[in-house]
Amino acid sequence: MKKILFFLILMGLFYEVISQSFTIEQISSYPFPSELTTSQTGNSIAWAMNEQGLRNIYISQEPEYAPKNITSFDKDDGQEITSLQFSNDGKFIVFVRGGEHGSNWNYDAGINPASETNIPKVAIWKVSLENGKAEMLTEGDNPIISPDSKTIAFLKNRQIWTIPVAEGKASQHFEVKGSINSFQWSPDGKQILFELNRGTHSLIGIYSDHDRPIQWIEPSFQRDVSPKWSLDGKMIAFVRLPGGKSEPHPILEQRHSPWEIWVADAASGSGSSRWKSPETLMGSVPTTHGRFNLHWAAENQLVYLSYEDGWPHLYTMDPFSGPSKQLTKGQFMVEHINLSHDKSKIFFSANTGSDKLDIDRRHIGMVNLKDDQMVMLTEGEGIEAIPVALSDNQKIAFFSATSQRPMLPAILDIPTKEIKLIATDLIPSDFPDNLVVPKQVIFKSSDGMVIHGQIFEKPGGSSKKPGVVFVHGGPQRQMLLGWHYGDYYSNTYAVNQYLAEMGFVVLSVNFRLGIGYGYEFHKAPRTYWQGAEEYLDVKAAGEYLASLENVDENRIGIYGGSYGGYLTALALGKDSGLFKVGVDIHGVHELSSRLKLQDGFEQAPDYTKALKIAWLSSPLAYLDTWTSPVLFIHGDDDRNVQVSQTTDLIRRFDEKKKPYEYLIIPDDSHHWMKHSNLIKVNKETAEFLNKHLNQK
Ligand SMILES: CSCC[C@H](NC=O)C(=O)N[C@@H](C)C(=O)O
């Protein structure tokens, strides 16, 4: 009898393994492209490709656009590539290697996920496109090549340095009190415009040479940001935000966050406000990709993005007269905005198109400033995002994916509408080709909020499958009906596909506070430490999953990272009866540090009420009802969510003698910079859910 039982178990396990057609390593082996950029001439493109932790640069040129690898970094050492750019003369490319630029703090400090005995530096590199030589030039970050291609300006210790492109030594370009946030060469390359943070306020200045003092642009006690040279170098446009610290307003009330667009004369520094945001909640500072997206365009027009009609849309204005004109309209968001080389066209990603499912996709759109008409350039069931114009102004490059294929660069010839996919052979030969197609589902939360989600389910298998809710982070994010354009969410898309392959029914929930569904959804009230009402959407997702005929309501799990880790912990604390197991990846748990409750002897009028609500919005308030098994995961060089958020919660579990499992990743960050760490996290996440939900 025992032998028969043993044989049956063995066959069951064998069936499980054999019925899985790919491993976590295989589904996580997708190459991830980023930093897409184009040359000023020659219709060339360049991008960074992360191939299982080996990050290198590829370029491709018309007419074939065959990808050519121009660097040879051959270690999975977690050193990312950023600030990729061509020189105007087309002779070389510059980039930064190292750092963790997706961080909220210390992004320009070296990251060392391989735990080497010397922490890698953040350095500026140059690759000659004439002889192929790649060389590290200097420590530094945020390089910008001068218009004449002779000098590279960069930031070091928040000051501007320069290095001659030919043999030369880096030197500080000038000294100024404060921290320089950004800078831009003038069109003629003779001056540098910079944004300077001085703590309570920000100034905009122009450096010309050592003999002339800095020219301040309309200095004030406000916070002036996002300065941009006009195309002729005579004017400066910038955004003005309130400076200093306000009185302690009510914490639980949503408030308008004002902004203005100013234009000043570059020579004299004098200027004036040309546009004020509507004094409504929707007129507040936009918080989607690129924020204001302030650009000078052809015919000396100013282009910017505003949320004022309830959706992130493009507007244009005359910098002198001021009235604005809305360029994009409709119930969709505009994202990843870039202008053509001649500044006559604006390209962008948008979740709109002829198919009602397009709200959960991205396609490429264009506005031609000659007639202000908007057209969609791509359509269909794929995901297209992050467009950049090629130098002939007839083509664009972008990142393209489907539900089956991960992101790759592609080129669209606008007149012929022909799309050419590039670097397809960089997808490993054993990469799975039988993924599930995520299905759009729409359901309501208990308060009536309409929620979108994606169901991942492999056909066949058990009649009653275990279910898993995936909760994204951000929270200003949107999961899509295909591979995602962000690296973090390309990885979670891979994990969801793997969980479906293991026999789970996965529901990825686009909870309120996410983007893509308008202002009221993105900026919903009483959320996070103000009441956590976004958790209603996560609970509704669990209940929706449990209600499905083919899902076992007693085997529902949950996992999520960062903000998704916060909501995973809240779910396990508040509803262990619904969520039977969870994986909390670098989650947020202690919320009081997130809100400035008291300042000096002044208190917000709703201070006491806000403190109580913040506590009840925190997973810490529900430890006694938290009975479901949990795996905690955190990298201890996390620069988005302090590792203390997990160490402190584990301390409370220990003191309460509550069981848990854990995985700490020494020296890695919020983004699993080392591929082998990413595999370890993905594998332990899947195995923990499998152990508790999927064992026969
Ligand atoms: C508001 S808690 C911070 C969560 C964190 N946001 C930014 O760092 C987060 O969710 N990070 C990733 C996963 C993301 O931004 O999507």
Side-chain angles (χ1 to χ4, degrees):
M1 188 57 189
K2 278 187 179 177
K3 282 184 179 173
I4 294 171
L5 189 60
F6 177 70
F7 174 74
L8 288 174
I9 288 171
L10 211 60
M11 285 309 291
L13 287 175
F14 179 70
Y15 167 76
E16 288 262 315
V17 171
I18 197 68
S19 70
Q20 276 182 237
S21 62
F22 57 83
T23 65
I24 193 68
E25 289 82 1
Q26 287 171 317
I27 189 67
S28 306
S29 68
Y30 58 89
F32 188 78
S34 62
E35 297 292 311
L36 186 59
T37 186
T38 62
S39 60
Q40 290 293 328
T41 57
N43 272 354
S44 300
I45 68 171
W47 71 96
M49 196 65 120
N50 180 352
E51 297 172 85
Q52 301 178 61
L54 276 52
R55 295 174 170 87
N56 283 289
I57 296 172
Y58 287 81
I59 65 170
S60 63
Q61 295 170 294
E62 68 177 356
E64 293 313 310
Y65 293 102
K68 180 183 173 195
N69 189 337
I70 61 171
T71 56
S72 53
F73 300 110
D74 59 1
K75 292 190 183 63
D76 175 17
D77 57 8
Q79 301 308 302
E80 69 178 0
I81 288 173
T82 53
S83 292
L84 180 58
Q85 55 198 279
F86 283 92
S87 60
N88 281 349
D89 63 11
K91 292 181 178 172
F92 63 94
I93 268 178
V94 161
F95 64 94
V96 169
R97 188 164 190 267
E100 218 286 33
H101 296 79
S103 301
N104 292 333
W105 64 85
N106 283 356
Y107 47 81
D108 50 2
I111 188 95
N112 184 26
S115 298
E116 293 167 11
T117 49
N118 288 316
I119 296 180
K121 305 286 187 221
V122 179
I124 295 165
W125 286 67
K126 180 182 93 143
V127 182
S128 164
L129 299 178
E130 294 175 306
N131 61 27
K133 182 185 174 194
E135 57 184 314
M136 188 181 92
L137 297 179
T138 175
E139 271 189 68
D141 207 349
N142 309 95
I144 302 181
I145 306 168
S146 62
D148 64 6
S149 305
K150 290 187 166 58
T151 308
I152 299 167
F154 61 96
L155 289 180
K156 187 174 177 182
N157 305 321
R158 313 312 301 165
Q159 294 284 307
I160 293 177
W161 287 56
T162 50
I163 184 168
V165 170
E167 291 309 308
K169 194 171 174 314
S171 61
Q172 186 163 349
H173 205 49
F174 61 95
E175 292 181 358
V176 66
K177 177 178 174 288
S179 298
I180 291 180
N181 288 338
S182 68
F183 66 91
Q184 188 185 6
W185 288 96
S186 58
D188 64 7
K190 292 179 180 165
Q191 296 172 303
I192 289 184
L193 172 71
F194 59 92
E195 174 194 316
L196 181 72
N197 181 352
R198 284 208 162 145
T200 61
H201 60 292
S202 298
L203 299 174
I204 291 172
I206 293 177
Y207 168 83
S208 299
D209 55 48
H210 269 276
D211 300 328
R212 279 189 279 175
I214 298 292
Q215 168 70 64
W216 298 114
I217 304 297
E218 276 295 335
S220 77
F221 292 97
Q222 309 301 334
R223 199 169 284 288
D224 293 341
V225 298
S226 194
K228 298 285 165 60
W229 286 104
S230 61
L231 306 185
D232 61 8
K234 292 180 178 163
M235 291 183 286
I236 307 294
F238 63 92
V239 170
R240 175 159 287 182
L241 304 169
K245 190 171 57 181
S246 73
E247 65 172 295
H249 294 303
I251 297 167
L252 299 172
E253 284 173 16
Q254 293 184 304
R255 301 181 62 77
H256 168 61
S257 161
W259 56 297
E260 298 181 21
I261 294 176
W262 280 58
V263 175
D265 173 74
S268 65
S270 63
S272 62
S273 173
R274 304 297 163 86
W275 175 84
K276 285 184 191 300
S277 60
E279 292 189 23
T280 61
L281 283 178
M282 291 180 183
S284 298
V285 170
T287 56
T288 51
H289 180 270
R291 293 177 75 191
F292 325 103
N293 285 279
L294 183 63
H295 298 276
W296 285 98
E299 323 293 326
N300 248 356
Q301 294 182 77
L302 277 173
V303 168
Y304 63 96
L305 179 135
S306 172
Y307 226 139
E308 62 193 73
D309 84 342
W311 296 82
H313 277 307
L314 285 170
Y315 294 77
T316 183
M317 66 184 276
D318 177 298
F320 296 101
S321 60
S324 302
K325 178 177 182 184
Q326 190 166 352
L327 297 173
T328 56
K329 290 181 183 151
Q331 296 201 335
F332 61 91
M333 76 175 289
V334 165
E335 199 180 22
H336 310 130
I337 292 145
N338 278 307
L339 273 66
S340 57
H341 284 255
D342 66 359
K343 312 295 182 188
S344 68
K345 298 180 184 110
I346 310 170
F347 300 106
F348 52 85
S349 315
N351 60 333
T352 188
S354 56
D355 181 343
K356 65 179 175 37
L357 295 181
D358 284 329
I359 192 170
D360 289 328
R361 297 187 179 120
R362 290 291 183 277
H363 295 310
I364 306 296
M366 174 181 81
V367 170
N368 188 331
L369 289 170
K370 290 195 168 50
D371 58 15
D372 292 344
Q373 290 310 299
M374 171 188 148
V375 293
M376 291 308 291
L377 299 176
T378 67
E379 59 182 357
E381 297 184 1
I383 310 288
E384 302 87 40
I386 312 178
V388 286
L390 268 67
S391 53
D392 68 0
N393 285 328
Q394 295 301 310
K395 299 181 192 66
I396 56 169
F398 56 89
F399 288 140
S400 152
T402 67
S403 64
Q404 304 296 301
R405 174 181 51 78
M407 283 284 165
L408 285 175
I411 287 181
L412 164 72
D413 184 305
I414 297 170
T416 66
K417 298 188 190 307
E418 183 196 341
I419 291 180
K420 184 180 188 58
L421 204 52
I422 298 172
T424 51
D425 58 355
L426 295 185
I427 295 179
S429 56
D430 66 344
F431 189 77
D433 58 4
N434 59 336
L435 301 181
V436 302
V437 177
K439 182 173 68 111
Q440 182 195 60
V441 292
I442 299 175
F443 51 90
K444 283 190 176 181
S445 268
S446 57
D447 65 352
M449 186 70 89
V450 175
I451 305 301
H452 286 231
Q454 304 85 40
I455 288 268
F456 297 72
E457 181 182 2
K458 182 179 180 181
S462 164
S463 58
K464 279 287 185 190
K465 296 174 180 172
V468 173
V469 172
F470 165 67
V471 192
H472 68 72
Q476 66 291 0
R477 304 284 183 246
Q478 181 185 17
M479 299 303 103
L480 306 172
L481 293 169
W483 286 86
H484 200 276
Y485 51 80
D487 58 355
Y488 193 97
Y489 298 107
S490 255
N491 182 52
T492 55
Y493 184 86
V495 174
N496 290 339
Q497 288 284 353
Y498 182 68
L499 291 171
E501 181 62 23
M502 291 176 87
F504 288 97
V505 178
V506 181
L507 170 52
S508 173
V509 57
N510 283 347
F511 58 92
R512 71 189 79 178
L513 296 182
I515 57 175
Y517 306 106
Y519 188 89
E520 305 292 348
F521 188 91
H522 179 191
K523 298 293 180 181
R526 301 177 300 283
T527 52
Y528 200 24
W529 41 262
Q530 295 173 313
E533 286 190 2
E534 70 277 26
Y535 172 65
L536 297 176
D537 310 338
V538 174
K539 182 170 182 179
E543 290 168 341
Y544 176 88
L545 201 50
S547 73
L548 296 180
E549 186 54 41
N550 58 335
V551 172
D552 180 348
E553 63 182 352
N554 296 310
R555 291 193 291 156
I556 304 284
I558 184 168
Y559 85 102
S562 202
Y563 202 97
Y566 157 62
L567 290 171
T568 292
L570 207 53
L572 296 171
K574 289 169 76 89
D575 291 297
S576 273
L578 171 59
F579 299 104
K580 295 297 195 301
V581 64
V583 182
D584 170 354
I585 305 169
H586 38 235
V588 179
H589 311 111
E590 199 290 325
L591 306 187
S592 66
S593 57
R594 302 272 159 174
L595 59 148
K596 206 141 187 52
L597 281 167
Q598 182 156 350
D599 198 359
F601 54 83
E602 292 180 289
Q603 273 186 1
D606 56 357
Y607 165 86
T608 308
K609 182 181 176 187
L611 209 55
K612 186 163 184 291
I613 288 175
W615 169 251
L616 293 174
S617 304
S618 159
L620 302 183
Y622 306 97
L623 299 192
D624 294 339
T625 52
W626 183 330
T627 55
S628 295
V630 62
L631 167 63
F632 292 118
I633 301 176
H634 216 126
D636 75 353
D637 192 3
D638 194 317
R639 302 172 190 179
N640 291 77
V641 174
Q642 307 86 345
V643 66
S644 60
Q645 290 283 345
T646 295
T647 50
D648 294 352
L649 180 55
I650 281 180
R651 177 71 178 271
R652 290 174 188 244
F653 264 65
D654 285 339
E655 287 173 349
K656 289 177 176 288
K657 299 193 181 351
K658 296 177 77 69
Y660 61 90
E661 293 187 26
Y662 68 90
L663 170 63
I664 185 168
I665 308 284
D667 289 327
D668 212 330
S669 71
H670 207 67
H671 300 96
W672 312 132
M673 305 295 279
K674 192 172 189 302
H675 186 72
S676 60
N677 287 336
L678 175 136
I679 295 290
K680 187 185 294 182
V681 169
N682 291 352
K683 186 174 278 189
E684 299 244 348
T685 296
E687 287 175 356
F688 188 78
L689 293 167
N690 198 45
K691 174 171 72 176
H692 288 277
L693 294 173
N694 209 9
Q695 301 298 22
K696 292 289 179 279

